[in-house]
Amino acid sequence: MVLFESDIKRLEEVKSFILENLDKELTAAAIAAQHRIGKSTLHRHFSAFFNQSLHQFILKSRMEKVMELIVERHCNINQAGTLVGYKEASSLTRAFIKYYGHPPKYYIIEDRSPGSQMDKK
């Protein structure tokens, strides 16, 4: 598929929009309407340009953000879920296990800083 420069620019805008709005409900119809593009055209162009479906990209972006939030920023699962658009921690945990193969708590490192409970044992 040949994409014009204007198509590529729009796809980059769609990508930025998704990454900036992970906490919102992101449907193909809403994204297409927001960027004045047909839903099926969005799906075709997005897949052709990014080599993954729109849904795969949204899921990947959310899972990577959750991983960052729980590992680097020490957010709990509820906080991380809210920040990436999951209303229920259980829904996030199921999606996370399906994506990474382990629950989020598997990646949370115990607090080993001075004065922590680990230090007092």
Side-chain angles (χ1 to χ4, degrees):
M1 171 181 289
V2 176
L3 295 172
F4 296 103
E5 191 174 322
S6 60
D7 297 325
I8 293 169
K9 182 179 179 201
R10 181 174 287 152
L11 289 169
E12 291 292 349
E13 290 170 358
V14 166
K15 178 182 173 184
S16 294
F17 175 81
I18 291 168
L19 294 174
E20 292 168 7
N21 291 282
L22 290 175
D23 61 325
K24 311 249 183 339
E25 184 176 348
L26 294 169
T27 64
I31 294 168
Q34 174 77 24
H35 292 87
R36 296 183 178 98
I37 185 172
K39 188 172 124 179
S40 60
T41 301
L42 173 63
H43 280 296
R44 274 194 328 275
H45 286 189
F46 196 94
S47 293
F49 189 68
F50 292 110
N51 291 321
Q52 60 186 319
S53 72
L54 182 64
H55 175 74
Q56 288 169 327
F57 178 77
I58 293 169
L59 178 64
K60 176 180 180 257
S61 299
R62 284 183 166 150
M63 293 300 106
E64 288 175 353
K65 185 67 175 179
V66 167
M67 182 67 84
E68 174 193 334
L69 290 167
I70 64 173
V71 172
E72 296 175 18
R73 297 188 189 175
H74 307 290
C75 285
N76 69 41
I77 305 308
N78 289 328
Q79 292 169 328
T82 300
L83 293 171
V84 297
Y86 283 87
K87 294 178 181 158
E88 301 291 328
S90 60
S91 298
L92 169 61
T93 299
R94 278 192 304 278
F96 195 93
I97 291 170
K98 188 174 180 181
Y99 191 82
Y100 285 111
H102 297 284
K105 68 181 179 180
Y106 179 85
Y107 297 93
I108 298 173
I109 299 171
E110 292 290 333
D111 181 11
R112 298 180 194 280
S113 61
S116 72
Q117 292 291 28
M118 295 294 292
D119 216 21
K120 294 176 184 175
K121 290 183 180 178

